[in-house]
């Protein structure tokens, strides 16, 4: 079976099979077999290729890492576990946002705690103008999920919808900034995801508890890891089905 993920990764990075072969010192026919026949490269080559195309080994070759080894790597991807999201130090959020230069992605319902920060929108605008890809996913305030979440948290039925509208007011100026995309989703969120390049905060959702009181994971992406990639693919799935926000 062809490895379409590898083929696509090379195209997105402007690399030909011949160029890849020269960079890692293998025969171009070997690279062609990796792509057209789905052959799995040696570990040293997988690592080099993943670094060149800025993807994880687990994404390019899902079956290459043994389950036992994948579990060990996943444990290493966890930087820290916080019992509550509001236990995360403010300076960690500052550092994650300041250090992000390629990707800032948010999947949440409102994330007011983040977007209402005085400099948040300005920082994202600056990063987008410098070439970063900014993607923000908020809950649709008119969707049934917003009402359901309010009820689950034992709040007035319009509370979450109001939070979302407040959050959208903070980020609305970003609609005019090239490189920033904002969409609305109506999905049931099992986790809120905040990605900053190769680091991520995953805020788990616990029935009956607001997000601030639910646990959170600080993850760092590893080339052969699967945990970071799982949450990233989840965000991607919601993004595909979401509706562009036009203000």
């Amino acid at each position: 079976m062809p490895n379409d993920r590898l083929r696509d990764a090379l195209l997105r990075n402007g690399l030909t099979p011949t160029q890849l072969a020269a960079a890692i010192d293998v025969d171009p026919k070997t690279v062609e077999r990796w792509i057209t026949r789905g052959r799995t490269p040696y570990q040293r080559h997988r690592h080099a290729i993943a670094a060149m195309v800025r993807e994880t080994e687990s994404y390019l070759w899902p079956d290459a890492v043994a389950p036992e080894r994948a579990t060990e790597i996943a444990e290493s991807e966890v930087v820290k576990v916080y019992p509550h999201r509001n236990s995360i130090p403010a300076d960690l959020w500052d550092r994650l946002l300041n250090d992000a230069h390629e990707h800032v992605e948010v999947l949440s319902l409102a994330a007011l705690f983040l977007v209402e920060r005085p400099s948040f929108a300005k920082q994202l605008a600056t990063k987008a103008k410098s070439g970063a890809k900014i993607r923000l996913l908020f809950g649709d305030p008119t969707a049934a999920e917003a009402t359901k979440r309010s009820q689950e948290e034992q709040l007035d039925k319009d509370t979450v919808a109001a939070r979302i509208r407040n959050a959208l007011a903070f980020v609305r100026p970003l609609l005019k900034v090239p490189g920033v995309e904002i969409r609305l989703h109506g999905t049931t969120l099992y986790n809120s995801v905040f990605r900053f390049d190769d680091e991520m905060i995953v805020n788990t959702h616990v029935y009956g508890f607001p997000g601030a009181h639910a646990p959170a994971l600080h993850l760092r992406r590893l080339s052969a890891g699967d945990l970071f990639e799982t949450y990233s693919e989840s965000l991607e799935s919601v993004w595909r089905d979401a509706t562009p926000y036009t203000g």
Side-chain angles (χ1 to χ4, degrees):
M1 179 181 292
N3 190 332
D4 292 322
R5 291 186 175 187
L6 177 56
R7 188 198 308 274
D8 179 68
L10 291 175
L11 289 173
R12 281 188 282 105
N13 286 274
L15 292 170
T16 66
T18 301
Q19 290 171 324
L20 177 62
I24 61 175
D25 194 24
V26 299
D27 191 290
K29 292 182 180 179
T30 299
V31 176
E32 289 290 348
R33 286 193 289 270
W34 292 341
I35 296 172
T36 61
R37 300 184 187 180
R39 299 282 179 83
T40 302
Y42 291 124
Q43 184 177 6
R44 65 180 185 278
H45 292 144
R46 294 200 305 269
H47 183 74
I49 296 167
M52 289 179 65
V53 300
R54 294 179 291 182
E55 290 288 357
T56 64
E57 292 178 50
S58 60
Y59 172 78
L60 296 172
W61 302 282
D63 301 323
V65 180
E68 297 80 6
R69 179 58 182 151
T71 299
E72 293 175 356
I73 296 171
E75 291 175 355
S76 297
E77 285 188 286
V78 179
V79 178
K80 189 166 184 176
V81 177
Y82 293 91
H84 313 289
R85 192 198 66 214
N86 60 9
S87 300
I88 299 174
D91 60 1
L92 176 57
W93 291 107
D94 291 337
R95 201 265 302 162
L96 291 172
L97 186 55
N98 290 337
D99 290 353
H101 299 293
E102 296 183 0
H103 299 277
V104 176
E105 298 178 324
V106 172
L107 167 60
S108 186
L109 284 173
L112 260 179
F113 76 96
L114 188 62
V115 301
E116 68 184 0
R117 294 159 65 96
S119 61
F120 181 75
K122 290 181 180 179
Q123 282 181 287
L124 292 190
T126 299
K127 290 182 180 296
K129 291 173 183 177
S130 297
K133 184 177 182 180
I134 313 296
R135 300 197 303 179
L136 307 177
L137 273 163
F138 296 98
D140 183 343
T142 66
E145 175 57 31
T147 301
K148 182 180 179 182
R149 184 60 184 270
S150 295
Q151 294 170 339
E152 290 174 351
E153 294 185 16
Q154 300 180 13
L155 303 170
D156 181 85
K157 66 183 181 67
D158 296 322
T159 300
V160 171
R163 289 176 182 168
I164 295 171
R165 291 189 175 94
N166 286 342
L168 293 174
F170 281 106
V171 300
R172 193 171 293 126
L174 293 172
L175 291 171
K176 301 177 182 179
V177 180
V180 177
E181 294 183 83
I182 305 174
R183 294 187 182 183
L184 302 179
H185 68 85
T187 60
T188 298
L189 277 189
Y190 302 103
N191 303 278
S192 291
V193 178
F194 307 89
R195 180 188 177 183
F196 307 90
D197 285 352
D198 288 337
E199 293 188 71
M200 179 184 288
I201 299 293
V202 177
N203 184 191
T204 66
H205 289 187
V206 179
Y207 184 87
F209 287 81
H213 296 165
L217 308 175
H218 178 191
L219 307 179
R220 180 175 285 118
R221 185 186 196 186
L222 296 179
S223 178
D226 191 45
L227 191 57
F228 185 104
E229 198 65 34
T230 295
Y231 288 110
S232 183
E233 290 188 17
S234 175
L235 186 151
E236 195 68 39
S237 295
V238 179
W239 182 264
R240 285 195 298 266
D241 294 333
T243 303
Y245 173 63
T246 60

